[in-house]
């Protein structure tokens, strides 16, 4: 192979990784995959110095690394670099959280890491690399956030599906352990949720183009019924980072409250958590309030209220304007 082409392959994406945790993960992966146990070669010294560009070159020259494996390592290192940047941002915002260096002897799951490496080796799309960077960063900061099943779900997502899920994260609400997207904005005209529907359509989103693919991808469940029997001692609380909604009843007799919603699957919840933890998702207050107003108008037997979480729990008037 032409030396210039080889140098380009080796050097592409080898940006400096500063986080000891990410450095440890990369070093351990390379050691496990390409260096024989007990072997004393200069590659090991390069690993200690975190000279990953030199490592790739040495392994390639020694015949330990094929060009296909080199390509996969490049993509992995690009994603590791993105994870490194995310962790640096996380530490800047949460200085009290200490992230220790990861090595083979630590509790980091290398079964998970090998599955991760296999999944990202052929990922060159920048949007998908950004998403995988969030996955790796979250696993390093807090292990076992992402299951093997969720890795497989993300691996099978197209760039458009991954981007759609990231966009929809701003509409996710939580009620206990249930995560959902209120479906009022995605219904057809006959269903009567006009303001919610107009809002979602103005955002360029639709049921057919955005919800259905994510159901097929395994991020959203086909079951779309949020239901609870509410009475004097039991109420329903739903919230995101900005708004908390409360559904209550003063009656002693339980009454069934139902709301159509797209529920996140277990893997969908894990992926949402990882994207949310990146700090790049801002909950959409306007759509949340439109849906709560719609709940209030459609359920006169219940009290439906809303409170701003970021403003000391101040009450929001959900009455429709004249």
């Amino acid at each position: 192979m032409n030396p210039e082409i080889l140098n380009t392959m080796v050097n592409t994406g080898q940006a400096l990784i500063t986080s000891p945790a990410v450095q440890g993960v990369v070093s351990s992966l390379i050691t496990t995959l390409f260096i024989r146990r007990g072997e004393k070669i200069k590659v090991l010294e390069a690993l200690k110095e975190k000279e990953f560009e030199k490592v790739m070159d040495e392994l390639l020259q020694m015949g330990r690394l094929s060009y296909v494996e080199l390509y996969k390592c490049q993509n992995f290192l690009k994603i590791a670099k993105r994870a490194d940047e995310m962790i640096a941002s996380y530490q800047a915002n949460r200085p009290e959280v200490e992230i220790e260096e990861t090595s083979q002897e630590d509790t980091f799951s290398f079964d998970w890491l090998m599955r991760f490496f296999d999944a990202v080796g052929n990922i060159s799309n920048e949007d998908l690399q950004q998403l995988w960077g969030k996955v790796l960063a979250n696993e390093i900061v807090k292990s076992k956030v992402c299951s093997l099943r969720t890795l497989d779900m993300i691996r099978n997502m197209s760039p458009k599906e991954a981007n759609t899920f990231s966009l929809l994260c701003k509409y996710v609400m939580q009620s206990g352990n249930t995560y959902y997207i209120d479906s009022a904005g995605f219904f057809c005209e006959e269903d009567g949720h006009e303001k919610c529907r107009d809002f979602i359509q103005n955002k360029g989103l639709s049921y057919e183009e955005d919800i259905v693919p994510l159901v097929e991808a395994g991020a959203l469940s086909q079951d779309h019924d949020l239901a609870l029997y509410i009475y004097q001692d039991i109420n329903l609380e739903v919230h995101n980072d900005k708004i908390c909604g409360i559904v209550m009843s003063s009656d002693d007799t339980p009454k069934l409250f139902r709301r159509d919603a797209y529920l996140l699957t277990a893997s969908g919840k894990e992926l949402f958590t990882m994207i949310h933890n990146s700090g790049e998702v801002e909950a959409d207050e306007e759509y949340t309030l439109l849906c709560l107003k719609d709940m209030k108008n459609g359920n006169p037997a219940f009290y439906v209220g809303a409170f701003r979480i970021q403003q000391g729990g101040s009450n929001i008037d959900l009455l429709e304007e004249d």
Side-chain angles (χ1 to χ4, degrees):
M1 176 175 284
N2 187 306
E4 292 184 1
I5 297 177
L6 175 59
N7 288 335
T8 299
M9 291 182 67
V10 173
N11 292 331
T12 300
Q14 306 301 310
L16 179 64
I17 293 175
T18 59
S19 166
V22 181
Q23 290 171 353
V25 167
V26 175
S27 296
S28 296
L29 176 74
I30 294 173
T31 302
T32 302
L33 288 181
F34 304 114
I35 300 177
R36 297 191 184 110
R37 183 178 296 274
E39 194 168 41
K40 301 296 183 181
I41 56 176
K42 54 186 175 181
V43 173
L44 292 174
E45 296 303 317
L47 279 173
K48 291 179 182 179
E49 299 300 324
K50 320 303 180 189
E51 296 176 0
F52 299 118
E53 177 183 328
K54 182 178 180 181
V55 170
M56 295 294 102
D57 187 33
E58 292 284 352
L59 290 172
L60 193 65
Q61 298 299 332
M62 294 167 57
R64 297 288 178 81
L65 192 69
S66 69
Y67 292 115
V68 172
E69 291 168 330
L70 175 62
Y71 174 73
K72 290 183 176 181
C73 285
Q74 288 173 345
N75 287 329
F76 172 75
L77 286 170
K78 290 177 184 178
I79 291 168
K81 173 58 180 173
R82 293 176 185 267
D84 179 70
E85 294 168 349
M86 293 172 193
I87 290 175
S89 176
Y90 181 84
Q91 289 178 308
N93 295 325
R94 299 281 302 277
E96 73 278 8
V97 178
E98 183 177 349
I99 303 173
E100 298 181 355
E101 183 173 354
T102 302
S103 67
Q104 284 180 290
E105 290 75 25
D106 291 327
T107 58
F108 191 90
S109 171
F110 279 90
D111 289 338
W112 185 94
L113 182 58
M114 295 308 169
R115 184 80 68 89
F116 180 90
F117 177 75
D118 186 52
V120 304
N122 294 315
I123 301 296
S124 58
N125 178 274
E126 291 189 0
D127 290 336
L128 286 178
Q129 286 185 344
Q130 183 71 9
L131 179 61
W132 281 110
K134 294 173 184 176
V135 173
L136 182 59
N138 272 269
E139 193 67 18
I140 290 173
V141 172
K142 185 177 180 180
S143 63
K144 300 181 181 179
V145 171
C146 180
S147 65
L148 295 178
R149 179 176 296 178
T150 301
L151 279 182
D152 287 340
M153 181 193 75
I154 302 171
R155 180 178 188 173
N156 291 322
M157 277 185 165
S158 68
K160 185 178 186 302
E161 290 167 346
N163 185 58
T164 297
F165 187 88
S166 295
L167 289 174
L168 290 179
C169 281
K170 66 176 65 176
Y171 306 118
V172 171
M173 297 289 291
Q174 181 179 353
S175 176
N177 292 323
T178 299
Y179 292 71
Y180 72 95
I181 298 172
D182 196 296
S183 59
F186 296 88
F187 281 155
C188 59
E189 293 184 5
E190 290 76 16
D191 290 299
H193 306 284
E194 182 178 356
K195 291 187 177 181
C196 297
R197 185 176 61 251
D198 289 347
F199 179 89
I200 290 298
Q201 289 180 349
N202 288 336
K203 296 295 182 179
L205 300 170
S206 71
Y207 172 78
E208 293 80 9
E209 295 296 324
D210 301 296
I211 298 298
V212 171
L214 292 179
V215 171
E216 294 174 347
L220 298 179
S221 172
Q222 291 182 340
D223 178 13
H224 56 276
D225 188 24
L226 186 68
L228 180 70
Y229 279 98
I230 297 175
Y231 55 100
Q232 190 173 19
D233 296 328
I234 296 293
N235 56 47
L236 175 66
E237 177 185 317
V238 299
H239 68 89
N240 53 32
D241 290 340
K242 292 185 175 182
I243 303 294
C244 177
I246 303 290
V247 182
M248 304 173 61
S249 173
S250 59
D251 291 346
D252 293 330
T253 304
K255 295 180 180 179
L256 181 62
F257 177 86
R258 301 184 65 174
R259 183 72 176 178
D260 289 321
Y262 305 117
L263 307 183
L264 274 65
T265 62
S267 291
K269 287 194 292 184
E270 288 182 5
L271 181 55
F272 167 76
T273 299
M274 290 181 281
I275 294 174
H276 179 268
N277 287 348
S278 71
E280 297 178 7
V281 176
E282 183 177 357
D284 192 295
E285 180 177 322
E286 185 176 356
Y287 184 65
T288 302
L289 292 177
L290 284 174
C291 290
L292 288 171
K293 287 180 181 180
D294 191 71
M295 282 186 189
K296 183 180 182 70
N297 294 335
N299 296 276
F302 298 94
Y303 164 81
V304 181
F307 304 85
R308 281 195 170 86
I309 295 174
Q310 295 183 341
Q311 295 182 11
S314 59
N315 186 36
I316 301 171
D317 186 4
L318 291 178
L319 294 175
E320 288 290 337
E321 296 84 356
D322 293 332

